[in-house]
Amino acid sequence: MENQDWKNLGFGYRDTDYNVRCYYRNGNWGELEISSSNVINLHMAATSLHYGQEAFEGLKAFKGKDGKIRVFRMDENAKRMQDSSDGIMMAKLPVEKFQEAVRLAIKMNKKFIPPYESGASLYIRPLLIGTGPEIGVKPSEEYLFMVFVMPVGPYFPEGFKPTDLVIMRKYDRAAPQGTGKYKVGGNYAASLVEGGLAKKGGFSAVLYLDSKKKKYIDECGPANFFGIKGNTYVTPESDSILPSITNKSLIVLAEEMGLNIERRPVPWEELAEFEEVGACGTAAVISPIKRVYDADNDHEYVYGTEPGPWSTKLYNKLRAIQYGDAQDKYGWVEVID
Ligand code: PLP
Ligand code: COI
């Protein structure tokens, strides 16, 4: 990866050398296997292909100034994948096995980890799929867990520059008591049409409202939502949003910085009251928002064209912990040799 233009990396798929695989057969998980192939052999009747038995995760590893590699809160991703597995009746991978696979995938692809100065990182994509053939609607008896990695830049090409979101009440990403709280492929398939429309309109993502009443803010397509009002960090509580590990971390950091935390249903009208608004997630980190356009009411909520002071502080602190520049008080980071 010499001569790589790290600063303009963007968020996209890239091949790396190795991936890690683990098969579930006859009621047991096998050993971790290292593969140098980027394809899998899959039965045409696999439940992942027909009935959406698929869950994934996203986490990142960072190279520090000290040359050490750090991975952020992977136990949380491992547990969330177990929740997703429960949600769509897949075999649960033990947390330790998930962690071992992630460590191995990072170590085997060390040369792809972007240098400290670049501000880029190694994106880690674990996934779990039903591989057994079924034609009736029921869970598979066999599963494949995989981890692959790739160097990435920011999810929204603007990086830490404010972008716009759009509200379109005609579209839902998840049903009220459905799978919105799990990281399963179906949620993302459901977001493609409106996500595409948003991009075409110059917005970075859709800001979804709750599907039942269209009264409260849920989240963005690929990230949670937060707003800052005075001395308070406000973020939605909802059964149909993904429990973001980034958001959970920002809440701790915000509290430490002296902000009050409100995690509660957030009526969309409250958009008029925030001084700062952001989208947060592993891929998005913090993406500050400069405008939310309510397409149904042709109304816009405008925030600063520069990142706000609290968003900036939170962003800097989170990144400093991830890259090893700030003390890891909460044990969020594991050093991988
Ligand atoms: N919400 C959705 C729908 C996501 O896909 C993601 C990305 O993982 C997030 C929120 C942010 O979650 P996390 O901070 O754990 O990456
Ligand atoms: C992540 O932040 O890891 C995500 O999964 C978001 C998106 C790429 C789906």
Side-chain angles (χ1 to χ4, degrees), residues 32 72 76 79 116 120 145 174 187 194 212 292 297 314 316 322:
L32 298 183
F72 189 70
E76 291 285 340
K79 285 186 259 173
Y116 170 76
F145 170 70
N187 296 340
E194 59 271 28
K212 195 171 183 179
V292 177
N297 296 312
L314 286 166
N316 288 340
Q322 292 173 330

Side-chain angles (χ1 to χ4, degrees), residues 125-140:
R125 173 51 64 87
L127 78 154
L128 175 62
I129 59 173
T131 50
E134 298 291 350
I135 204 64
V137 180
K138 60 177 165 178
S140 172

Side-chain angles (χ1 to χ4, degrees), residues 3-291:
N3 304 322
Q4 172 70 44
D5 179 9
W6 295 110
K7 292 261 184 257
N8 294 308
L9 195 55
F11 190 90
Y13 177 81
R14 272 169 208 93
D15 267 326
T16 49
D17 285 346
Y18 299 101
N19 54 80
V20 177
R21 305 173 181 204
C22 185
Y23 295 89
Y24 179 89
R25 295 186 187 112
N26 304 315
N28 292 302
W29 286 101
E31 296 300 322
L32 298 183
E33 298 173 24
I34 296 169
S35 171
S36 60
S37 167
N38 58 10
V39 298
I40 54 173
N41 243 326
L42 195 55
H43 196 291
M44 62 185 177
T47 61
S48 50
L49 296 179
H50 296 258
Y51 304 129
Q53 268 202 310
E54 189 273 348
F56 68 99
E57 273 301 328
L59 63 160
K60 278 177 173 171
F62 306 84
K63 187 173 275 175
K65 211 187 272 177
D66 54 8
K68 288 184 180 152
I69 302 159
R70 292 171 173 83
V71 62
F72 189 70
R73 304 196 79 169
M74 73 167 150
D75 54 323
E76 291 285 340
N77 293 91
K79 285 186 259 173
R80 191 169 64 186
M81 203 174 79
Q82 290 191 332
D83 290 343
S84 297
S85 303
D86 281 340
I88 58 168
M89 290 194 78
M90 299 198 291
K92 267 200 292 211
L93 183 77
V95 169
E96 302 72 42
K97 201 135 209 154
F98 180 103
Q99 291 174 314
E100 262 175 61
V102 170
R103 285 184 200 113
L104 191 56
I106 296 171
K107 283 185 192 167
M108 297 299 296
N109 293 291
K110 257 189 192 165
K111 70 176 195 219
F112 296 98
I113 307 178
Y116 170 76
E117 305 75 38
S118 67
S121 56
L122 190 74
Y123 186 68
I124 303 159
R125 173 51 64 87
L127 78 154
L128 175 62
I129 59 173
T131 50
E134 298 291 350
I135 204 64
V137 180
K138 60 177 165 178
S140 172
E141 289 179 4
E142 297 187 349
Y143 295 87
L144 167 60
F145 170 70
M146 297 186 63
V147 182
F148 59 88
V149 303
M150 74 211 70
V152 296
Y155 187 71
F156 298 126
E158 293 82 358
F160 193 59
K161 297 236 175 66
T163 64
D164 295 357
L165 299 179
V166 61
I167 295 175
M168 295 183 281
R169 288 169 184 72
K170 198 172 135 196
Y171 299 98
D172 293 326
R173 113 178 228 287
Q177 306 295 323
T179 56
K181 58 180 172 293
Y182 305 123
K183 202 161 170 63
V184 297
N187 296 340
Y188 298 82
S191 75
L192 289 174
V193 169
E194 59 271 28
L197 287 174
K199 291 243 159 65
K200 246 193 205 159
F203 302 96
S204 58
V206 174
L207 179 59
Y208 290 96
L209 303 185
D210 79 278
S211 307
K212 195 171 183 179
K213 295 185 181 156
K214 302 282 169 183
K215 191 167 160 41
Y216 301 106
I217 297 171
D218 255 357
E219 64 174 335
C220 305
N224 271 185
F225 171 92
F226 71 86
I228 308 272
K229 187 158 63 165
N231 216 29
T232 305
Y233 179 101
V234 182
T235 194
E237 186 167 68
S238 160
D239 264 355
S240 50
I241 66 178
L242 191 76
S244 156
I245 297 158
T246 311
N247 198 4
K248 189 170 168 177
S249 310
L250 292 177
I251 286 171
V252 173
L253 299 178
E255 208 159 24
E256 192 184 283
M257 290 173 185
L259 288 173
N260 303 314
I261 307 297
E262 288 181 13
R263 200 172 195 171
R264 55 166 169 80
V266 181
W268 59 265
E269 291 90 343
E270 208 171 324
L271 285 168
E273 296 170 26
F274 295 123
E275 287 121 37
E276 295 178 41
V277 157
C280 64
T282 297
V285 195
I286 288 181
S287 297
I289 304 304
K290 64 174 156 50
R291 181 173 74 116

